[in-house]
Structures are given as C-alpha cells and as structure tokens.
Amino acid sequence: MMMKVKKNIVRISRVTLIFLVPLIFLYTETDSRKATIFALATFIVINFLFTNFLIKETTSEYIEKILSKINILKLNSNISFLAYLLIITVLVFISQNVNLNYETVDWDIHSYLVASQEISNGYIPFETQWESKGPLLFYIYNFISVITVKNYLFFKLFNDIILLMIVLILSELVKEKTDSRYKGYFASTFFVLLMSKNFGNSEYSELYSLLFLSISYLLYLKNKDEKYTPFFVALLVSLSTLVNQGTVIFVIPYLMNLFLKKTRTFKLSQDIKISFIGFVFPHLFFIGLYLVNNLLDIYYATFVSIPLGYTSESFNILNELIVFLRSYFQFSSTLYFVVISLGTLLFLEKFNTIITKTGKKSDNFLNNLFLFTSILFYILGSHGFEHHLIFLVFFASIVISQFERLSTNIFVGLVLIISMTSIFQSSFESSYQNLKNYEETYSNYPLLKLASEIESRFDSEYTILALDYVLLLYYLDKPNFSYIVHPTNHYADFITKELIELNRIKENNIDELICYQREDCKEPDVIICSHRMIINGEVIKNKLFNCMVSDYKKNYYSIDTKSYTYDENLSYYFDPYKEIAVFIKDKDI
C-alpha cells in the first residue's frame, strides 16, 4: 500500500513539475529568472526529501524514539517559554529596526500622525483634518504619541511592542489549536521573519486591526462554548473596523463558521443576536459622538461613500502576488527558501493525507476562511500595496502548524532556525547601531532638522500648507492648512468630489488654499510641496498646481532644502526627483 501511495505522490509531483518549468520563461528580468529557478530547485529538493524521508512512518517512529531518550520534548514548559520569549523579543527588535535610521519607510504614517495630534487640541477625528482611516486609529496614535513625548523614533519603537504582542498571541493561538507549544513557537517565528521585510517595518493601520482580530480569534478558540463569547468576539472585530474600515469583511469567517457548524436553531439565533449587539455597540458610541458634534455626514462618507471608491479601482492580483513572493528572494534567499519549502511540504502532505485517507481530523475550517478573507481584503484594497497582505501573512503563518508528522515538524524547525540565524546576522549590526545610538539616529532625521529651520524663521504663530512632507507638521505641532492631510488624496477624484459635496473643501481646492490669482483670502505663512516625483517608474510633474510658488506669488521666498532632499536618511525609497520645496511668506512685502 505504501509503495502505491509513494508512486502516486511521485506522479503528482512530476505533473506539478511540468507546470512549474514554464514559469522560468514567464519573466525576463534577471532577478525574476533567478527567483523562479531557485523556487523550482527548492521544489525538487523538498519533493525528494518528502517522498524519500519525511513521508516514511518509520522515519517518524525512529526520530520519536531518539527524542524520547534525550527527553527533548519534555523540557520544563516555563523555562522553554522564557527562552522563547527572550529569543523572539530580541528577534523582533533586531529585525524591525534595521531601517530605523530612515526617517520615512511609508508616507502614510505621517498623515495619520498629523491627523491624530488634533485630538490633543480638543478636536475629534475628521473635524479639522481628514484622513481615510477609522477614528479609533487616531485615538490610538494620539495616545502613543503622547506617552512617547512626540518623539517619532520612540513612536516607531512602541509599535515594535505592538508587533511583539501579536506574535505572542499567535503563539498562544496555535498552541490552543494544536495543543503543541513548539508549533506555536514555529508559527510565530515564521510570522516575525516574514514581517522583517521592509513592509513590516512601519506603523500601518493593519497592524492595529490585526491586534484586535488576533485577540478575537484566540478568545473564540479558548471560550467558544461560553455564552458571552460571541459578544466579545464581535466587539473586538468591531474595534478593528473602527481602525481600518475594510476589516469589516472579517465578520464573514465568524458568520460562516456560526451557520455551518452543527448547532440547534435556538442556540444559533441567540449567538447571532449577541454577536450583533457586540458589533454595533462601539459603532453606536462613535455615531452618537459624531451626531452630537454635527459631523455625522463626514463620518458616513469616511465609512461608506469614500471606501466604495477605493474598491472601484482594479489591479492585476496574480501578478502583484508573484511580485510580492519574488521580493522575498531579493530580501533574503534563505527566507525565500523557507517560504517555498513550507509551501511545497504543505501541498505534498495534504495531498498524501487525501489519497491515503490518513491523518488526524483537524479543525482548520475557520483559519482557512480567514485566509480566503485576507486575500479578499487584498483584492478590495485595489492598489496592490504590500501592507494590505499583513493579514494574509498572519493567517498563513498559522497554516504551518498543520504539519502532522514529527519528522516534518523537525525539518520545519531546522529551516526556521537557519532562516532566523540568517536574518539576525544580516540585520544585527545596523539595528544595534540604530538602537544603541538612538539619540543620534533621531537627530539625523532630515525633516526634523528642516522643521527646526522653519521654526527659527518665526517669532509668533504661523500656518502651514503641506502638500507633501507632512511629517514637518507633526514635528512643528501644526495642523495642515488643508482639510485633506495625505498629499495623494488631493489627486483622488472619488475623495475630493465627496468632500466638495459636503462643503469640507472647495472646487479647485489647492488654488483656493494658496490664493492663486486672488487677493481677498488668507494665505498660509508656509507652503511645502514638491515639483516632481516618480510614480510607477515614471517622473511625473505636479499636475495639481505649479509648485514654484515664488514665480507667481512675489511675497513668498524659497529656502535652500537641497541638503535635506538628498540626505540618505530621508527615505528608504529614495526618489532623487522628489525635491523638498519650502516657501515662506515675507511679511515685509
């Protein structure tokens, strides 16, 4: 029987191989060819290991016998957890801070910071500054900003703690699912390694939403038979939607799991009612808050009208996913090897389980739903941004806990240790220097230095219109002269149209803000913009207005910003065409 099974596995492997070979010729770029050939070689090696060693019951039995003798699986659980906690904490801070010397990894974060600081001035989100995320994100941002004394570097480090919390929740979640602590260690380590790539080194809204979603998942697994569990699970998902509106789709897995599991009609009806109350409660609170402040229209637009505009755009999802996977090869060939290896192993083991009808019955239905929902979230995001894949990375990390054979799990542990060592080694020096000399790292941020120069030009209150480099507003503790904070949102017609209808901005909004060819309006004291930038590989001139303000407004003068523009610490993604243009109103004219 085993011989027949083995032949079937080899046969399916060869068929898969036939489909994989043409992939080599799908890409003409050098890195693409290398990545595809590397993936193919990895597939062949893992295929060989699986069909000749990892699949054999005798191999597992032999390894089990050896391990039982050396007692490796019976270590004191407290000691093993403390060792894991130490290792994973060090790994998180080392892998996350390799780019700490760069002031900017993603510009979105700066807009969230600017929008959130208005809370300290007594306003609620969207009242004076508009950003596209849910109001809870800005309250969280403001809280962290306050406790980190508005130090941007400390703010970044605090977010490493948020990530560490998610990692520990993931470990406990897998332990609850599999009753195996070491599988939890594997899954959480894999997640940290995947997040060590640059897209995971920032303070995205998805990270905070994931914190709420991961807690809800763990709570569900631990207490799914408790009466009030549906309420608290729905409450946590609701809080997630108040951070990032798109996460409302993560209601779907819980609902499907609720309807498809075998339960009595009365119990199902009761769970749905309790879940509904838990979900609407936080939203009713915020609806009441915005109703009292006469801002319900902008709240509705931010949660319904404008998000629908995002989903109307399209992109090539398959191509973007391949590019994302390939980017791991550019980041770390060792980690790429791990990703391809574990994907191949999972495919082969699941196939083997199906054709032999062996293996333990496991409840992976809900996690599979979360996986598909994560892909749906990426599709609905419509832009192909890597940070939209954070949920997929999280739930995919749980999948590697589904390996049943001991020999396979030992192999998984070995490749994770190898990858962890490689990532740690390549990241340590840079991260250590960034953290050790954190004051110097922070003081070298170019926009922070530019903010000091701008501040020195004024001895009284002044206003700033930032159409780019909005982090300057955060450093200077100033609101944007524009209601829209994020620079690119000025280009989004589905956003500006909605805000015009709500009388939050005017037609030709930027011309109105800078008083272009008008003298009967209040001008900002400082205008910050950029003339050009690289978009999709092309150098694009600013289409909204002429950034050379001093050419047509003679009462403004520019300051020299060349040293800041070309500072190597300005941005992880350096754009030599994206100049920092700063114009200051001359009050003597």
Side-chain angles (χ1 to χ4, degrees):
M1 176 63 182
M2 280 301 295
M3 183 61 68
K4 185 177 180 181
V5 170
K6 190 172 180 180
K7 286 181 179 178
N8 286 333
I9 293 172
V10 172
R11 188 178 297 116
I12 193 68
S13 300
R14 286 172 178 169
V15 171
T16 309
L17 208 60
I18 292 171
F19 284 104
L20 282 175
V21 169
L23 289 177
I24 299 175
F25 305 102
L26 289 179
Y27 305 104
T28 57
E29 298 175 21
T30 303
D31 285 343
S32 301
R33 289 202 303 271
K34 286 181 180 178
T36 308
I37 294 171
F38 191 96
L40 184 58
T42 302
F43 176 84
I44 295 170
V45 171
I46 299 304
N47 197 345
F48 173 78
L49 288 174
F50 184 81
T51 54
N52 290 279
F53 297 101
L54 301 179
I55 190 64
K56 290 184 177 180
E57 293 290 350
T58 52
T59 306
S60 295
E61 291 170 2
Y62 181 68
I63 294 174
E64 183 87 64
K65 188 175 180 180
I66 294 175
L67 292 178
S68 64
K69 286 184 178 180
I70 63 176
N71 214 27
I72 195 170
L73 296 180
K74 297 180 181 179
L75 293 172
N76 183 287
S77 59
N78 291 331
I79 295 175
S80 65
F81 176 74
L82 289 174
Y84 158 77
L85 181 60
L86 176 62
I87 292 170
I88 207 69
T89 301
V90 172
L91 182 62
V92 165
F93 278 90
I94 292 299
S95 64
Q96 287 292 304
N97 290 299
V98 67
N99 297 320
L100 190 63
N101 58 298
Y102 293 108
E103 189 171 31
T104 301
V105 174
D106 191 285
W107 300 98
D108 291 352
I109 311 307
H110 303 165
S111 298
Y112 304 156
L113 285 167
V114 173
S116 70
Q117 69 182 358
E118 282 293 85
I119 294 171
S120 294
N121 296 326
Y123 300 103
I124 64 175
F126 317 135
E127 187 172 358
T128 59
Q129 303 278 265
W130 187 83
E131 251 303 323
S132 60
K133 301 305 176 188
L136 185 57
L137 175 68
F138 304 116
Y139 282 104
I140 295 172
Y141 257 56
N142 181 260
F143 172 74
I144 298 175
S145 180
V146 169
I147 64 176
T148 55
V149 293
K150 289 207 71 173
N151 183 303
Y152 186 38
L153 184 141
F154 290 164
F155 182 87
K156 292 181 180 182
L157 293 178
F158 193 95
N159 278 267
D160 295 341
I161 299 174
I162 301 292
L163 178 61
L164 180 61
M165 290 170 61
I166 295 171
V167 169
L168 296 177
I169 291 168
L170 173 58
S171 177
E172 189 64 25
L173 198 157
V174 171
K175 178 181 175 294
E176 190 67 29
K177 278 177 63 67
T178 63
D179 197 30
S180 170
R181 186 168 288 280
Y182 78 87
K183 284 188 176 182
Y185 297 162
F186 289 172
S188 55
T189 301
F190 187 48
F191 177 65
V192 173
L193 294 176
L194 292 176
M195 290 291 286
S196 64
K197 190 171 167 289
N198 55 293
F199 84 98
N201 299 165
S202 205
E203 304 78 42
Y204 294 110
S205 63
E206 286 83 359
L207 188 71
Y208 297 96
S209 286
L210 183 56
L211 179 62
F212 291 117
L213 290 174
S214 61
I215 295 173
S216 75
Y217 194 3
L218 179 60
L219 179 66
Y220 176 81
L221 291 178
K222 280 183 171 290
N223 305 290
K224 57 185 171 184
D225 295 324
E226 297 293 327
K227 181 179 179 181
Y228 292 105
T229 295
F231 172 85
F232 290 109
V233 168
L235 180 73
L236 287 162
V237 175
S238 181
L239 292 175
S240 172
T241 65
L242 286 164
V243 171
N244 185 309
Q245 301 92 316
T247 58
V248 68
I249 64 173
F250 284 96
V251 171
I252 298 172
Y254 285 118
L255 283 178
M256 289 186 65
N257 193 62
L258 201 64
F259 278 106
L260 295 176
K261 71 179 184 179
K262 296 179 181 178
T263 185
R264 292 173 304 186
T265 304
F266 172 76
K267 180 70 165 56
L268 176 62
S269 175
Q270 187 182 42
D271 286 350
I272 291 175
K273 288 178 182 177
I274 293 174
S275 298
F276 179 76
I277 294 171
F279 185 81
V280 301
F281 179 72
H283 281 280
L284 287 176
F285 172 80
F286 276 97
I287 288 172
L289 176 65
Y290 279 84
L291 183 62
V292 168
N293 287 275
N294 198 30
L295 293 167
L296 194 57
D297 56 349
I298 190 64
Y299 184 82
Y300 176 82
T302 305
F303 266 86
V304 180
S305 308
I306 292 175
L308 289 175
Y310 280 100
T311 60
S312 64
E313 299 185 18
S314 61
F315 71 109
N316 189 327
I317 177 175
L318 182 60
N319 181 67
E320 292 300 327
L321 285 173
I322 291 173
V323 169
F324 175 70
L325 180 62
R326 204 169 62 222
S327 68
Y328 275 106
F329 178 74
Q330 299 164 342
F331 171 68
S332 169
S333 57
T334 307
L335 182 56
Y336 185 70
F337 167 77
V338 173
V339 173
I340 299 299
S341 296
L342 299 188
T344 304
L345 272 176
L346 191 67
F347 166 76
L348 293 172
E349 186 165 298
K350 289 297 180 183
F351 179 77
N352 174 65
T353 301
I354 292 171
I355 63 174
T356 59
K357 298 181 180 179
T358 59
K360 298 177 183 178
K361 185 178 180 180
S362 58
D363 184 16
N364 295 313
F365 178 69
L366 182 57
N367 196 69
N368 291 337
L369 287 177
F370 278 127
L371 270 174
F372 289 122
T373 306
S374 300
I375 296 173
L376 181 61
F377 179 88
Y378 182 63
I379 295 172
L380 293 176
S382 305
H383 288 79
F385 296 140
E386 288 188 343
H387 61 85
H388 289 168
L389 290 165
I390 287 176
F391 300 113
L392 181 62
V393 168
F394 179 84
F395 292 109
S397 298
I398 297 175
V399 172
I400 74 165
S401 67
Q402 296 178 14
F403 294 114
E404 296 179 6
R405 299 177 185 280
L406 181 61
S407 52
T408 307
N409 279 292
I410 290 174
F411 176 80
V412 171
L414 287 173
V415 296
L416 285 175
I417 290 172
I418 293 170
S419 180
M420 181 174 64
T421 304
S422 174
I423 296 293
F424 184 87
Q425 185 178 22
S426 63
S427 305
F428 179 78
E429 183 60 32
S430 179
S431 293
Y432 177 72
Q433 292 300 327
N434 288 337
L435 294 169
K436 178 186 176 184
N437 306 308
Y438 68 91
E439 290 182 341
E440 182 182 351
T441 301
Y442 184 57
S443 63
N444 284 335
Y445 284 170
L447 292 182
L448 179 65
K449 291 186 282 189
L450 176 57
S452 296
E453 182 175 343
I454 293 173
E455 181 76 14
S456 68
R457 306 268 176 158
F458 296 90
D459 52 15
S460 60
E461 285 298 311
Y462 57 96
T463 57
I464 302 177
L465 171 61
L467 298 170
D468 214 329
Y469 299 100
V470 297
L471 184 60
L472 288 164
L473 295 168
Y474 180 71
Y475 288 142
L476 295 166
D477 197 18
K478 298 286 185 183
N480 202 343
F481 198 71
S482 166
Y483 181 62
I484 295 175
V485 180
H486 198 296
T488 61
N489 285 339
H490 290 283
Y491 295 85
D493 291 338
F494 65 93
I495 292 176
T496 55
K497 181 181 178 182
E498 192 72 29
L499 295 180
I500 289 170
E501 290 179 358
L502 295 176
N503 291 320
R504 304 293 170 180
I505 64 174
K506 298 178 180 179
E507 292 276 2
N508 303 316
N509 189 52
I510 294 180
D511 287 348
E512 292 290 332
L513 290 171
I514 64 175
C515 299
Y516 181 66
Q517 294 182 341
R518 284 185 57 188
E519 297 180 358
D520 58 337
C521 65
K522 184 179 180 180
E523 297 173 317
D525 296 303
V526 181
I527 298 176
I528 303 167
C529 56
S530 55
H531 306 287
R532 300 165 296 175
M533 66 185 72
I534 297 177
I535 299 178
N536 296 325
E538 295 184 19
V539 180
I540 304 296
K541 188 177 179 180
N542 194 320
K543 296 179 180 179
L544 285 180
F545 79 114
N546 181 1
C547 180
M548 188 54 70
V549 177
S550 56
D551 281 356
Y552 52 91
K553 295 183 74 67
K554 301 304 180 181
N555 57 334
Y556 281 84
Y557 65 91
S558 64
I559 64 175
D560 185 8
T561 59
K562 186 174 293 185
S563 62
Y564 308 117
T565 298
Y566 296 101
D567 192 308
E568 61 181 7
N569 295 315
L570 177 63
S571 178
Y572 178 82
Y573 300 101
F574 178 64
D575 184 347
Y577 297 96
K578 190 177 168 66
E579 300 173 3
I580 306 173
V582 178
F583 300 90
I584 298 178
K585 185 177 179 181
D586 191 340
K587 293 185 178 181
D588 295 330
I589 299 179

